[in-house]
Amino acid sequence: MTVTEGWPEAPAPLPAPVVDNHCHLDHRIKGGLLIPVEEALDRAAAVGVTRIVQVGCDLESSEWAVEAAREHDAVVAAVALHPNDAARMDDPVLDGALSRIDELAADPAVRAVGETGLDYFRTGPEGRPRQQRSFREHIAIATRHDRTLVIHDRDAHDDVLAVLDDTGIPDRVVMHCFSGGPEFALECLERGAFLSFAGTVTFKNAEYLREALRVTPLDRVLVETDAPFLTPEPYRGRPNASFLVPHTVRRIADVLDLDLVSLCRQIDENTSRAFGGPWASHGGQRT
């Protein structure tokens, strides 16, 4: 696949900058990067997506995220073991991997610990205790290093809340790709979480997500891609990238009947609060 083959046209730029707070720039298809990092950042910036949180899911991608954040001032890193990966590790391997995540979380380029959490869609009952143990350890790492906790929750709403209530909730929590309805949204908001809406909020069959969005205070709303996954309408099923965020932001503005400029500014402010303040230089070369 060439760099441009199969990609949608870039949308009209947003009128004010926003942040893609969950992206996987390193995800590979057929052995190659979807878009080279420099081009991905340039394409995003051209439509008003000026900052990106690069999210790790295992040791390799977490280490890659830290390096990318060091090289590019538009990027900060999140580091973690994805719950499905944690479930497949035996205890000694998991212990060693968690120790390395703890080391990486101390790096100034890292703003978040995640994506961690629980996934009962792909992991059966036999793997869930290990997922829960990993989730608890990630919460401790986020708290120890004063990092934002980024939660992956799939078909595990009740247990995610139970673990948070039992361990104690870090100061900053982001529900990545929020996947519940309005009742679950209120439960998360009660615990101080930011709710991050991905391209799924644009899907025709996702009215429950739009209902959740409507009960979310504007100062808790974030936007993300989860690229290269969850491409928003009208391009569902094609590869996703940060430059497609404007489709999701415009849909959110329509659902909430908000002025687009005001919404963009609020999302940008929310993201800075959610991830510990303004992006600071951490050794990167890009501005």
Side-chain angles (χ1 to χ4, degrees), residues 148-214:
T148 302
L149 182 71
V150 175
I151 297 177
H152 171 106
D153 162 38
R154 189 166 187 186
D155 293 354
H157 298 342
D158 290 345
D159 282 358
V160 164
L161 296 179
V163 170
L164 286 172
D165 290 344
D166 186 54
T167 60
I169 302 170
D171 288 341
R172 298 177 305 280
V173 175
V174 172
M175 299 299 295
H176 145 60
C177 187
F178 183 77
S179 61
E183 296 82 6
F184 183 58
L186 292 172
E187 292 278 7
C188 295
L189 291 164
E190 183 180 333
R191 290 161 174 81
F194 292 84
L195 307 189
S196 180
F197 293 90
T200 45
V201 78
T202 73
F203 294 175
K204 293 178 182 178
N205 63 348
E207 183 59 29
Y208 68 99
L209 288 179
R210 291 184 284 276
E211 288 298 324
L213 174 62
R214 292 184 183 101

Side-chain angles (χ1 to χ4, degrees), residues 80-109:
L81 309 176
H82 192 283
N84 289 324
D85 288 352
R88 292 189 289 266
M89 297 178 179
D90 61 30
D91 287 340
V93 173
L94 180 58
D95 288 342
L98 288 167
S99 178
R100 178 59 178 149
I101 293 297
D102 191 22
E103 293 174 359
L104 290 171
D107 193 289

Side-chain angles (χ1 to χ4, degrees), residues 11-19 46-49 223 245-247 249-250 260-261 264:
L14 292 168
V18 299
V19 183
V47 298
V49 183
V223 68
V245 160
H247 291 294
V249 175
R250 288 187 167 94
L260 190 58
V261 174
C264 290

Side-chain angles (χ1 to χ4, degrees), residues 4-26:
T4 57
E5 182 183 349
W7 288 94
E9 293 292 322
L14 292 168
V18 299
V19 183
D20 178 359
N21 84 89
H22 197 109
C23 186
H24 303 284
L25 291 165
D26 59 325

Side-chain angles (χ1 to χ4, degrees), residues 29-74:
I29 287 182
K30 297 180 181 178
L33 288 175
L34 276 174
I35 306 179
V37 174
E38 287 287 348
E39 182 174 346
L41 296 177
D42 287 344
R43 285 188 179 199
V47 298
V49 183
T50 57
R51 299 181 287 165
I52 290 173
V53 181
Q54 167 63 23
V55 179
C57 293
D58 54 24
L59 290 185
E60 181 181 6
S61 61
S62 293
E63 290 170 348
W64 192 94
V66 173
E67 290 302 317
R70 288 173 178 168
E71 293 173 7
H72 304 282
D73 280 349

